[in-house]
């Protein structure tokens, strides 16, 4: 066994398609939500409430397995920016994300950030964000979107870049408003495995983060994108597809979009 493999961190990534989110019951609410979460849950519309409960269900089930405690005994604390962490600070990290197509959870003994976004998400009467990407991300990053010829390619690349931004923000407990102005991302598609790096020569946001990104589990091909941000060595990932409370099966995503960055661009 190589020294690299013994040092390599591990992480687990759980994906649940929106159609697999179960109906909630009073028992579910009491098991997976504490008093403050129940209060938040009660103020949400039905769809958001279901996603919120599902995220807590998934992460507390996953953490209960590694901590050997009941999900109802797991409590979270929150940073000033709202990033959740385990209240007892036992060495495990986690992150939760949801959109209208999926709920995603990641756990590890290393800090991480995760984001999931639907490629074609509605914004009411407003135009799709990739039609004016400069309003949503650094000019250097937006240029990658503008270079795409078709609307479909623009939508896919915008979604990928947005998930990289969001996961970076969650990794570093930062602000999406800061990232939109200061985080410039360089995409390298010339390598055998596409990579993304912080373009440090034009970015005042900072550097040191790395990304993995994936497209779709099961029938979700092309529907959404998941990005995982981390620092240091690329984690060994275990992938799970959450299909029901009784069925959480190992299943790899359909396509790996972004591999780890080897070098930063300065």
């Amino acid at each position: 066994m190589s020294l690299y493999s013994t040092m390599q961190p591990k992480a687990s990534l759980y994906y649940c398609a929106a159609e697999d989110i179960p109906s909630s019951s009073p028992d579910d609410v009491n098991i997976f939500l504490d008093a403050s979460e129940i209060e938040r849950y009660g103020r949400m519309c039905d769809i958001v409430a279901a996603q919120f409960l599902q995220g807590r269900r998934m992460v507390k089930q996953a953490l209960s397995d590694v901590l050997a405690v009941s999900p109802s005994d797991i409590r979270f604390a929150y940073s000033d920016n709202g990033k959740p962490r385990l209240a007892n600070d036992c060495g495990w990290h986690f992150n939760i994300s949801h959109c209208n197509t999926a709920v995603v959870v990641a756990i590890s003994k290393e800090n991480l950030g995760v984001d999931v976004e639907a490629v074609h998400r509605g914004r009411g009467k407003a135009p799709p964000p990739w039609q004016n990407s400069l309003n949503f991300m650094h000019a250097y990053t937006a240029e990658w979107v503008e270079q795409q010829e078709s609307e479909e390619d623009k939508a896919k690349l915008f979604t990928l870049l947005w998930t990289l931004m969001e996961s970076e923000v969650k990794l570093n407990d930062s602000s999406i408003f800061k990232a939109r102005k200061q985080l410039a991302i360089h995409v390298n598609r010339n390598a055998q495995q596409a990579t993304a790096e912080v373009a440090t020569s034009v970015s005042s946001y900072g550097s040191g983060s790395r990304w993995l990104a994936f497209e779709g589990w099961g029938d979700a091909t092309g529907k959404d994108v998941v990005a995982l941000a981390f620092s240091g060595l690329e984690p060994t990932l275990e992938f799970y597809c959450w299909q029901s409370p009784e069925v959480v099966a190992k299943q790899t995503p359909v396509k790996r979009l972004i591999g780890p960055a080897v070098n930063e661009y300065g």
Side-chain angles (χ1 to χ4, degrees):
M1 181 180 294
S2 69
L3 179 61
Y4 177 86
S5 63
T6 60
M7 295 173 59
Q8 196 172 12
K10 298 179 180 179
S12 297
L13 193 61
Y14 297 80
Y15 176 97
C16 175
E19 55 267 27
D20 290 330
I21 297 176
S23 300
S24 61
S25 70
D27 285 345
D28 292 333
V29 173
N30 291 324
I31 290 171
F32 297 110
L33 303 182
D34 63 25
S36 63
E37 290 169 332
I38 290 174
E39 183 180 355
R40 290 174 61 188
Y41 175 81
R43 297 195 302 265
M44 297 173 179
C45 68
D46 290 346
I47 293 177
V48 175
Q51 295 169 343
F52 178 80
L53 176 59
Q54 180 64 6
R56 263 55 184 179
R57 183 204 312 267
M58 290 166 64
V59 77
K60 290 184 180 182
Q61 283 182 333
L63 289 170
S64 71
D65 290 341
V66 298
L67 296 174
V69 299
S70 169
S72 60
D73 292 330
I74 295 174
R75 294 290 184 270
F76 297 157
Y78 297 86
S79 72
D80 290 342
N81 288 327
K83 181 177 180 177
R85 66 182 186 277
L86 283 167
N88 64 356
D89 193 22
C90 63
W92 281 87
H93 299 261
F94 68 91
N95 214 225
I96 307 169
S97 182
H98 57 77
C99 65
N100 61 6
T101 56
V103 178
V104 171
V105 161
I107 68 167
S108 176
K109 283 199 168 183
E110 302 294 328
N111 187 27
L112 43 69
V114 71
D115 188 55
V116 59
E117 297 288 346
V119 174
H120 296 288
R121 55 194 184 278
R123 298 180 64 237
K125 295 181 179 180
W130 53 85
Q131 290 185 357
N132 197 352
S133 53
L134 190 58
N135 285 346
F136 297 92
M137 52 188 60
H138 191 285
Y140 184 95
T141 309
E143 182 62 24
W144 295 103
V145 180
E146 299 304 322
Q147 290 175 3
Q148 306 308 302
E149 294 184 0
S150 72
E151 282 291 298
E152 184 66 16
D153 287 343
K154 286 184 179 182
K156 288 182 177 180
L157 185 55
F158 178 92
T159 304
L160 171 61
L161 291 167
W162 184 262
T163 61
L164 300 182
M165 288 173 52
E166 283 273 17
S167 60
E168 160 73 22
V169 165
K170 297 168 79 173
L171 169 72
N172 289 309
D173 193 15
S174 183
S175 159
I176 192 63
F177 301 104
K178 177 181 177 182
R180 285 165 65 164
K181 293 180 179 179
Q182 300 180 11
L183 176 59
I185 300 174
H186 181 94
V187 180
N188 178 15
R189 287 181 161 175
N190 297 323
Q192 184 175 3
Q193 171 65 65
T195 61
E197 298 87 28
V198 177
T200 53
S201 62
V202 296
S203 178
S204 59
Y205 185 86
S207 61
S209 299
R210 307 170 75 192
W211 289 285
L212 298 169
F214 308 93
E215 179 183 287
W217 271 251
D219 295 332
T221 307
K223 187 167 62 174
D224 45 45
V225 174
V226 177
L228 182 74
F230 57 96
S231 301
L233 295 174
E234 175 188 356
T236 299
L237 278 173
E238 288 189 337
F239 299 98
Y240 296 89
C241 188
W242 198 103
Q243 298 169 317
S244 74
E246 295 77 28
V247 181
V248 183
K250 283 191 174 182
Q251 183 178 6
T252 56
V254 174
K255 186 177 181 181
R256 180 160 159 160
L257 300 175
I258 292 291
V262 178
N263 299 301
E264 292 174 357
Y265 282 72

